[in-house]
Amino acid sequence: MAAVSSYQPFAADGHDVAWRTWEGEHHEEATIRWENEGFTVVGQVSRERVQYVVRLGPRWNVRQFLLFRDLDEPDLWLANDGTGHWGEMNGAHRDEFDGCADIDLRCTPLTLSITIRRLGLDIGDSASVAAVRVDTESLDAQPVRQHFERLGEHRWRIARGDEPAVELDVDEFGLVLDYPAEFRRESSSARACVPTSGLFATSHRSRPRAALVAKQGAASRAAWSLSWALSCMRRAESATPPISCPT
């Protein structure tokens, strides 16, 4: 049976978390919420000017990943069939990712927290995992090995690919606090809202579609596209597996 996280559960209404880059110039906001028997993570990163969505199962296993950058629709949309096979939402099998369990985005510490929650390691234990690393600039995706070692209740040592290992602390939810030389935690709170500041406005949940379409600018188009993509994602989960990969 898969491991269960030893960290605190999130509030039913969702959880907001924010980081700044180490020098303080750029910002990220993310929301984690429970819906349709799984978690949905939505994040927006100002430095890379991207928005990402990770759809997770109840045990923090990645089901789908969407990245918005230049297009109204997702620039990259990957799905895992639950058995370690990956594909694009057009049905193309990405066999180079077979066996990968996680997503690794270098522009955010949040994907590390997803793996920490999924592993549920005891203090002193470690695990080596395979992840799909996504380059937000080139949209290139490659498999990468990661090593997670739990040093204490909130202390971890993490090695990502060929990069030197770093030690960092997480909070009571398993969310990364500061990532040395990269990110500093700004805020974390239980709320019932999706972040609205920064690059994209995502308050579309309370707005009619017609109003969104009528609004001008990249932010409103991105918000409508995200709403459409999430709707498609949920329909795919409730019907058949999102991809069909050879066994």
Side-chain angles (χ1 to χ4, degrees):
M1 180 177 290
V4 178
S5 173
S6 61
Y7 292 106
Q8 291 187 19
F10 291 104
D13 289 335
H15 193 93
D16 292 348
V17 62
W19 291 272
R20 284 200 176 274
T21 51
W22 198 256
E23 75 285 356
E25 182 178 357
H26 300 285
H27 181 73
E28 175 188 358
E29 291 181 342
T31 293
I32 304 164
R33 62 183 183 270
W34 173 264
E35 58 182 12
N36 295 345
E37 300 183 355
F39 296 96
T40 300
V41 179
V42 180
Q44 51 193 17
V45 186
S46 67
R47 181 177 60 185
E48 284 77 10
R49 298 183 62 81
V50 297
Q51 186 170 34
Y52 63 87
V53 180
V54 188
R55 178 62 179 163
L56 305 160
R59 293 182 179 271
W60 295 87
N61 53 303
V62 176
R63 291 177 176 173
Q64 299 190 53
F65 169 76
L66 296 79
L67 181 71
F68 292 83
R69 193 191 65 180
D70 301 321
L71 304 176
D72 290 346
E73 298 180 4
D75 295 83
L76 182 65
W77 192 342
L78 299 173
N80 187 325
D81 69 352
T83 65
H85 295 103
W86 290 76
E88 298 184 26
M89 289 306 293
N90 62 10
H93 180 207
R94 298 294 297 269
D95 56 0
E96 69 268 37
F97 304 149
D98 285 357
C100 291
D102 300 297
I103 289 288
D104 182 32
L105 283 178
R106 287 297 282 107
C107 66
T108 174
L110 200 147
T111 52
L112 296 177
S113 295
I114 291 174
T115 305
I116 286 172
R117 296 280 307 209
R118 181 181 66 80
L119 290 174
L121 296 178
D122 291 329
I123 296 172
D125 288 347
S126 63
S128 182
V129 301
V132 179
R133 171 171 288 182
V134 177
D135 187 313
T136 57
E137 181 176 355
S138 66
L139 299 180
D140 181 50
Q142 298 291 334
V144 63
R145 298 298 301 183
Q146 298 182 318
H147 188 77
F148 288 74
E149 181 180 2
R150 190 170 185 181
L151 305 177
E153 184 66 23
H154 299 288
R155 188 76 170 174
W156 289 76
R157 180 184 293 118
I158 300 174
R160 307 167 84 174
D162 297 330
E163 300 174 14
V166 299
E167 292 189 10
L168 52 81
D169 292 314
V170 300
D171 63 14
E172 67 273 25
F173 299 102
L175 298 174
V176 173
L177 292 172
D178 295 345
Y179 189 102
E182 295 283 346
F183 307 100
R184 301 181 192 270
R185 169 71 70 82
E186 185 175 59
S187 64
S188 178
S189 62
R191 290 191 241 169
C193 64
V194 172
T196 56
S197 62
L199 175 60
F200 298 103
T202 53
S203 56
H204 56 274
R205 293 185 301 165
S206 60
R207 300 178 186 173
R209 175 177 171 180
L212 280 174
V213 174
K215 289 183 68 66
Q216 299 297 313
S220 60
R221 289 197 302 272
W224 181 85
S225 297
L226 176 61
S227 178
W228 166 82
L230 288 172
S231 176
C232 291
M233 182 174 65
R234 292 161 187 149
R235 288 200 302 271
E237 285 186 356
S238 63
T240 58
I243 58 174
S244 178
C245 296
T247 57

